[in-house]
Amino acid sequence: MNERQGEERVAAIRREEYSPFEKEKHLFLAGDLERPNPHPFFRDARLEWIFCFYEAGDDGEPHWHPEATEYETVLEGEEGYFEPATGETTWFRPGDLSVIPARVCVKRVVRERARTLAIKIPSNGDR
């Protein structure tokens, strides 16, 4: 694993260290991660910090997090979340902040290229 320490002094993961991995769609740069990562990350059980890189059609599967609440800001493009329980899709554009509470089932919908920053609280390795 490429775990970094950040507890005793200012530390960084530079963009050039993770940018070669943007094809992965989800870059977990902080969290209590259980799966191996090809890029550096900070271990932290309090949250997960995830850069997301989507192209049109990178729709997700319906899913929910049993314990984690997810906050997400669209940095570029557009992203939607379809809620099977209501049959509604809510769309988000740059600067919008969404929140998906624990146990709420959603499906990501991507009509155009999108870049987002997601934070899951707490980090619990359910990715």
Side-chain angles (χ1 to χ4, degrees):
M1 295 182 100
N2 291 305
E3 186 173 334
R4 295 267 175 98
Q5 299 300 315
E7 300 166 357
E8 297 182 22
R9 58 181 296 263
V10 174
I13 297 172
R14 304 291 180 191
R15 185 177 191 283
E16 58 268 14
E17 295 180 85
Y18 65 80
S19 63
F21 304 98
E22 291 177 359
K23 66 186 177 307
E24 301 293 327
K25 291 191 180 82
H26 301 107
L27 296 179
F28 289 77
L29 296 181
D32 195 14
L33 309 179
E34 296 175 5
R35 296 182 193 171
N37 275 319
H39 54 78
F41 73 96
F42 294 113
R43 182 160 308 278
D44 193 326
R46 296 171 296 178
L47 61 80
E48 290 177 10
W49 186 280
I50 311 143
F51 278 122
C52 305
F53 303 90
Y54 303 126
E55 299 299 328
D58 281 342
D59 300 346
E61 296 294 324
H63 74 286
W64 65 91
H65 301 288
E67 299 172 5
T69 295
E70 187 167 347
Y71 296 89
E72 190 166 21
T73 297
V74 175
L75 304 173
E76 174 188 331
E78 176 186 61
E79 178 184 45
Y81 279 106
F82 171 74
E83 293 183 72
T86 64
E88 296 179 13
T89 301
T90 305
W91 293 97
F92 302 95
R93 302 286 303 160
D96 292 347
L97 173 65
S98 63
V99 61
I100 303 168
R103 298 176 302 284
V104 171
C105 183
V106 295
K107 176 185 177 188
R108 181 182 62 250
V109 182
V110 183
R111 299 189 291 202
E112 64 182 62
R113 181 177 191 223
R115 303 295 179 254
T116 70
L117 170 63
I119 298 171
K120 284 176 34 183
I121 301 172
S123 178
N124 58 11
D126 69 354
R127 70 173 175 133

